[in-house]
Amino acid sequence: MSYRSRFFSIAIGTLLSVSGLLGTLAQAQEADLSPDQKSRVRVEKVDAAIKLIPAGYKFVTAGKLTVASVPGRLPFAAYATDNKTPVGSEPDVAQLVADSLGLQLELVPIAWADWPLGVVSGRFDAAIHNITVTEERKAKFDFSTYRNDLLGFYVPLNSKITSISKPEDVAGLKVIVSSGTNQEQILLRWIEANKAKGLPASEVQYYDDEAVLGVALQSGRADAYLGPNATSAFKAAKEKNTKLVGTFSGGWPETAEIAVATKKGSGLADAVTAAVNAQIANGNYAKALGRWNLSAEAVKESRTNPPGLPKS
């Protein structure tokens, strides 16, 4: 971060941290955070998917699909107003799968680091929380894809920028990105490619405070923000002061997909994949994603164990 950017952040950070918190709370209040989730999309069982459940498979609890969930941030998952029930886009997907398989959904809130051992040890039938398919993970888990892992460029509503789809489009722009992230590495590679072509340099900005980041974008101090599309799309829908001008894979140039993770070789993945595809076909899947403004990340088809991001 430049000296001026640091000074800007420090000077107004304290004042805006309170307003940022209030904005986050207001955003959450507009979403359905009730524990009963009456607005959640519910579906009928899918016989074709149920038939794919291996005859010898034993669910953690008979008649239930026990799913690891990581409440922390919307739209993925957060706690309901009872402070114990996970709600959000990922619990909604879990509900689609459970209903399709004729099972009651049992969501178990955990920390992110705990899902891999929980699935392998049989504590959970599945983990559903923004898990990207990678070749390394495929050694221990089977996957059923349900969402594209996208990064998004967001600009103020009144911005003249209408599209960012390739490295050349960021030439000369001031772009905010989080330090140490995959999107930062992609952006830096884009900038180096532009430099080699003799294109105008881009300015990279970093802000630790989300409220300060927002002010920098709205004031014109920055032109665009690059971050995970899911969280940015949810925020844009609620605050209505930014717009999406481009998305690309979170594994650029490789394709990255989000998937339900089940134990390797358990045989449950094919049933989950069939369940998701049934809901894609009848439109319920689209309704579930649309509820959290994640339509841009919809997949056309769920796949079992597709190529994952390569090992680093």
Side-chain angles (χ1 to χ4, degrees):
M1 182 188 292
S2 68
Y3 173 79
R4 287 190 299 174
S5 292
R6 286 184 182 275
F7 179 80
F8 177 74
S9 178
I10 294 172
I12 69 172
T14 301
L15 292 175
L16 289 178
S17 59
V18 175
S19 64
L21 175 60
L22 292 175
T24 300
L25 291 174
Q27 179 178 334
Q29 289 171 353
E30 291 180 19
D32 178 8
L33 298 184
S34 62
D36 57 5
Q37 288 294 288
K38 291 182 179 179
S39 59
R40 176 178 285 171
V41 179
R42 301 297 300 271
V43 302
E44 299 295 325
K45 66 179 182 179
V46 178
D47 290 336
I50 295 173
K51 290 178 181 178
L52 293 175
I53 299 174
Y57 183 83
K58 293 184 178 180
F59 289 95
V60 174
T61 301
K64 293 184 178 182
L65 182 69
T66 303
V67 176
S69 183
V70 187
R73 187 176 185 181
L74 293 174
F76 301 130
Y79 282 113
T81 51
D82 63 358
N83 293 318
K84 64 180 182 180
T85 304
V87 298
S89 64
E90 305 299 63
D92 279 12
V93 171
Q95 188 72 70
L96 289 180
V97 174
D99 285 350
S100 298
L101 298 180
L103 300 167
Q104 180 182 344
L105 177 61
E106 180 73 22
L107 289 170
V108 181
I110 61 164
W112 167 262
D114 294 337
W115 75 261
L117 180 58
V119 173
V120 171
S121 67
R123 181 185 174 194
F124 314 118
D125 296 307
I128 303 179
H129 190 85
N130 203 43
I131 300 169
T132 301
V133 181
T134 69
E135 288 303 311
E136 185 174 3
R137 286 174 177 163
K138 282 168 64 178
K140 293 184 178 181
F141 307 99
D142 287 326
F143 290 100
S144 302
T145 60
Y146 64 89
R147 188 158 51 79
N148 286 311
D149 183 0
L150 295 182
L151 298 177
F153 277 101
Y154 284 79
V155 300
L157 283 180
N158 61 358
S159 173
K160 295 182 179 179
I161 299 173
T162 59
S163 175
I164 298 178
S165 61
K166 56 188 182 298
E168 292 84 352
D169 293 336
V170 301
L173 298 184
K174 296 172 287 187
V175 182
I176 301 172
V177 73
S178 295
S179 178
T181 60
N182 184 48
Q183 55 263 30
E184 179 197 28
Q185 296 305 311
I186 293 173
L187 177 63
L188 294 178
R189 293 203 301 270
W190 281 22
I191 292 173
E192 285 300 311
N194 288 339
K195 182 179 179 180
K197 296 178 181 179
L199 297 175
S202 301
E203 178 183 326
V204 181
Q205 297 182 9
Y206 305 93
Y207 298 104
D208 295 329
D209 189 306
E210 190 170 339
V212 177
L213 183 159
V215 170
L217 193 60
Q218 296 300 324
S219 68
R221 186 176 187 84
D223 298 307
Y225 167 67
L226 171 61
N229 180 68
T231 52
S232 296
F234 182 75
K235 185 177 180 181
K238 299 302 179 183
E239 298 184 357
K240 296 180 173 56
N241 59 8
T242 58
K243 62 183 178 181
L244 176 67
V245 294
T247 61
F248 57 96
S249 174
W252 187 90
E254 306 292 337
T255 298
E257 292 182 87
I258 305 298
V260 177
T262 52
K263 186 177 180 179
K264 191 71 177 180
S266 69
L268 191 58
D270 285 339
V272 173
T273 299
V276 175
N277 278 327
Q279 302 311 325
I280 290 175
N282 64 28
N284 287 317
Y285 164 81
K287 292 177 182 177
L289 289 193
R291 186 175 178 229
W292 301 96
N293 203 38
L294 293 178
S295 300
E297 302 196 356
V299 296
K300 295 182 179 179
E301 178 185 24
S302 176
R303 299 186 292 166
T304 299
N305 293 329
L309 294 182
K311 296 180 180 181
S312 57

